[in-house]
Amino acid sequence: QVQLVESGGGLVQAGGSLRLSCAASGRTFSNVVMAWFRQAPGKEREFVAAISWSGGTTSYADSVKGRFTISRDNAKNTVYLQMNSLKPEDTAVYYCAARAMFNIVRTPAGFGSWGQGTQVTVSS
C-alpha cells in the first residue's frame, strides 16, 4: 500500500492556474503508476491524467488535454498536476491514486491506493 496526501487545491477564477501535489509514502514510489481523478457533486469519479513509473508515458482525458500536465519526481516521492486555463467545469474534488502495476489504466477500480482529495473550485 502507498499512503497519499494531496495539497494545492483552492478557489481560482476561470482562466487561472493551480498546481496540485500528491506526496506518497509506504512502498517504493518509483514502481507504481500514479494518476489523478476528479469527482464533481452528483457525478461519478472520472479519470483526469496518469503517468508511468518512469514518467516516460502519460495519458490524459480529452477534456483536459492541452491544459493539464502530470509529472512526477521520484526522488521526492511526489506527483504533480499543473492545471492551466481552468474552466468552471473543472470544479471537483481531485484525488491522487496509485497502481502497483506497470501499465496505465483509466478506471478507478484499477487503483488500490487513494488520497483524501483536495477541492478545486473555478469561478466564472
Side-chain angles (χ1 to χ4, degrees), residues 23-107:
S25 61
R27 64 163 291 160
T28 303
F29 176 74
S30 60
N31 289 340
V32 300
V33 167
M34 299 297 298
W36 289 94
F37 288 78
R38 66 187 182 187
Q39 189 166 17
K43 295 188 176 181
E44 293 186 352
R45 191 167 298 190
E46 66 173 359
F47 172 79
V48 175
I51 188 167
S52 64
W53 66 274
S54 68
T57 301
T58 56
S59 179
Y60 294 93
D62 288 344
S63 58
V64 307
K65 199 173 294 183
R67 299 188 298 123
F68 291 10
T69 302
I70 189 171
S71 61
R72 66 191 293 165
D73 185 339
N74 288 344
K76 296 182 178 180
N77 288 351
T78 301
V79 64
Y80 305 96
L81 185 68
Q82 178 66 44
M83 305 185 295
N84 299 328
S85 302
L86 282 161
K87 305 174 181 180
E89 52 263 45
D90 294 319
T91 295
V93 176
Y94 283 70
Y95 296 92
C96 177
R99 168 176 168 83
M101 300 288 285
F102 289 114
N103 60 313
I104 289 177
V105 298
R106 294 183 168 210
T107 58

Side-chain angles (χ1 to χ4, degrees), residues 108-121:
F111 291 80
S113 299
W114 293 85
Q116 82 288 349
T118 186
Q119 177 70 47
V120 172
T121 303

